[in-house]
Amino acid sequence: MDIFNRKGFLGLAMLLAISLVLAACGGNDDGGNADGGEGQTYNWKFVTEEVEGQVQYEYAEEFAKRMNEKSDGQVNIEVYEFGGLGSEVDQVEQLQSGAVEMAVMSPGFTGNMVKEGQVFALHFLFPDSVETTQQILTESEALNTDLREKYEEHSISPLSYWTEGAMQWTSSKKIESPEDFQNFKMRTQESPLILESYKAYGADPTPMSWSELYTALDRGTVQGQENPIFFIGDASFHEVQDYMTISNHNNYVAMTTVNTEWYDGLPEEMQTMVDETTQEMQEWVFEEQDEQNQKFLEEIKNDSENPTEVVELTEEQRQAFKDKAMPVRDFYREEVSTVDGEILDKLQEEIEAATE
Ligand code: 6CS
């Protein structure tokens, strides 16, 4: 499914959709925080960084369905798939301005603003078990209290953090050791620390929106990228790559976010309903990503028209990457963090406690 190859069409669709949304925002809408009386209806916009069928989009649809049912039809959430409202970074701005009330957001697109949020860029920080990672993301005080406060300084409230699965590398040449990354043109998201993590392996990282990635891989503008398996398969990146290294070097973390001022102004019962639904969705999204990641691994392996060699790393090979990745944590503490690495320290303690 390579919808983003049709760039001209996408650009036009983006402009049209942005104008429609902005027009809607200009009206006297019942976006949410009126008095909350009987009969009050709520129409919210929920934007995602993925398209129909992919985990974030399906998450938002399920969230919308549950809120509508619980509120007996009072809450109507319109879900926007990626592309309709601009780039991932445009979407961050739309949430901050209140043009949309809710967004699934990846910390990889907020790193220039919320420095601490770059903690998710650190390789080999979370445990190998995706299930334990999800448990940590759900329960962590470092993330759900301390990091949340950092985001709220920018009008973004992360109500939850969840994994879309372990990330793997796809590439046009075989990647088995940090040496294979020498001068390798790697596509990444925007956060400076993601770039730093790849520079630590010797690679030459380039930030880019995923809407341009298929074409960039196809043309060799970049030689590789990282993502969970479901995303690699659904976006067809494997069609234009020769290898997929099962590196499990990091988990893809997404956040369910709301505009802080809008959320604070919601009637109490609506806020509670949003919070409860967000918590319920943690289990739902774990199952969803797990199912999709397993399904697409089989599809990629069985796609004989577009063969991809799946490279399994030995523990020794993974260790070589870990050795290069560890100094990036000091870089985070000393050069990135505004609180001397306190959030990372606390998170590491929580990870240790969860994996003991
Ligand atoms: O690689 C990316 O940028 C995209 N990957 C995922 C799994 N979700 C959305 C994001 O923009």
Side-chain angles (χ1 to χ4, degrees):
M1 188 211 59
D2 177 28
I3 63 166
F4 290 108
N5 274 341
R6 291 177 274 142
K7 276 171 108 185
F9 170 76
L10 186 66
L12 198 65
M14 272 186 187
L15 277 179
L16 196 67
I18 290 173
S19 353
L20 284 175
V21 166
L22 295 181
C25 292
N28 183 22
D29 200 7
D30 43 5
N33 36 21
D35 58 8
E38 280 282 301
Q40 157 98 40
T41 56
Y42 301 85
N43 297 305
W44 303 338
K45 297 171 211 75
F46 194 164
V47 67
T48 77
E49 299 166 336
E50 296 177 5
V51 296
E52 198 175 343
Q54 297 178 343
V55 176
Q56 288 187 13
Y57 183 86
E58 295 306 310
Y59 174 98
E61 282 285 0
E62 179 67 23
F63 192 103
K65 187 176 121 222
R66 288 183 186 214
M67 284 295 296
N68 185 265
E69 282 168 6
K70 281 185 204 181
S71 67
D72 287 329
Q74 263 188 295
V75 177
N76 296 294
I77 303 181
E78 185 159 0
V79 176
Y80 291 84
E81 64 178 355
F82 181 63
L85 300 186
S87 72
E88 297 93 337
V89 178
D90 293 333
Q91 294 184 173
V92 174
E93 286 165 13
Q94 284 152 12
L95 185 88
Q96 288 182 281
S97 71
V100 301
E101 288 83 8
M102 303 190 68
V104 179
M105 194 181 283
S106 303
F109 296 108
T110 58
N112 283 309
M113 178 172 66
V114 186
K115 309 280 182 223
E116 308 297 331
Q118 298 186 80
V119 72
F120 297 109
L122 297 170
H123 292 187
F124 304 103
L125 175 64
F126 287 98
D128 290 347
S129 157
V130 179
E131 197 169 0
T132 312
T133 299
Q134 177 75 355
Q135 184 202 326
I136 294 164
L137 294 173
T138 304
E139 293 171 5
S140 163
E141 194 181 288
L143 302 178
N144 292 289
T145 303
D146 303 354
L147 183 58
R148 177 169 170 164
E149 283 169 14
K150 294 283 166 202
Y151 270 96
E152 287 182 336
E153 290 170 13
H154 301 272
S155 295
I156 299 169
S157 292
L159 300 183
S160 64
Y161 303 84
W162 36 275
T163 174
E164 294 194 60
M167 284 201 278
Q168 322 299 349
W169 294 315
T170 65
S171 51
S172 55
K173 62 178 268 209
K174 203 172 195 167
I175 305 270
E176 287 176 306
S177 72
E179 288 70 50
D180 298 324
F181 265 130
Q182 288 310 304
N183 304 319
F184 182 88
K185 287 181 277 172
M186 183 74 177
R187 176 270 171 173
T188 66
Q189 295 182 343
E190 298 270 334
S191 281
L193 202 71
I194 302 185
L195 275 78
E196 205 58 41
S197 295
Y198 282 99
K199 285 183 192 158
Y201 298 145
D204 176 14
T206 308
M208 166 186 305
S209 166
W210 82 264
S211 58
E212 294 162 29
L213 185 51
Y214 182 97
T215 309
L217 291 168
D218 196 23
R219 294 189 181 153
T221 319
V222 289
Q223 297 167 284
Q225 61 87 43
E226 60 173 6
N227 253 309
I229 293 172
F230 87 86
F231 199 75
I232 293 168
D234 196 68
S236 309
F237 296 148
H238 69 291
E239 285 180 13
V240 285
Q241 296 272 263
D242 297 321
Y243 301 93
M244 179 166 78
T245 301
I246 305 299
S247 49
N248 293 322
H249 60 282
N250 202 355
N251 262 260
Y252 192 99
V253 174
M255 310 183 286
T256 300
T257 62
V258 289
N259 173 279
T260 306
E261 289 73 31
W262 168 80
Y263 172 81
D264 288 346
L266 279 179
E268 207 182 318
E269 75 273 23
M270 274 302 143
Q271 226 182 59
T272 306
M273 206 183 283
V274 168
D275 287 346
E276 281 174 4
T277 308
T278 307
Q279 284 317 307
E280 282 166 30
M281 288 297 293
Q282 290 296 90
E283 202 178 320
W284 184 92
V285 76
F286 180 81
E287 300 298 331
E288 180 69 17
Q289 63 77 31
D290 190 43
E291 218 172 90
Q292 289 211 21
N293 279 309
Q294 287 188 41
K295 180 183 110 183
F296 277 106
L297 178 59
E298 288 316 305
E299 283 190 17
I300 292 171
K301 281 183 176 168
N302 296 328
D303 186 353
S304 49
E305 267 180 47
N306 304 289
T308 307
E309 188 180 328
V310 177
V311 182
E312 304 272 354
L313 295 182
T314 62
E315 262 321 299
E316 206 181 336
Q317 285 171 323
R318 282 186 88 221
Q319 189 58 46
F321 288 104
K322 281 186 194 171
D323 292 344
K324 297 272 181 198
M326 285 308 148
V328 184
R329 292 193 198 176
D330 298 331
F331 182 83
Y332 173 89
R333 283 194 176 87
E334 287 152 26
E335 307 289 333
V336 175
S337 171
T338 55
V339 287
D340 299 328
E342 272 173 28
I343 293 180
L344 173 59
D345 291 341
K346 193 166 174 179
L347 178 61
Q348 276 189 312
E349 279 170 26
E350 291 168 343
I351 293 171
E352 273 164 35
T355 47
E356 255 168 16

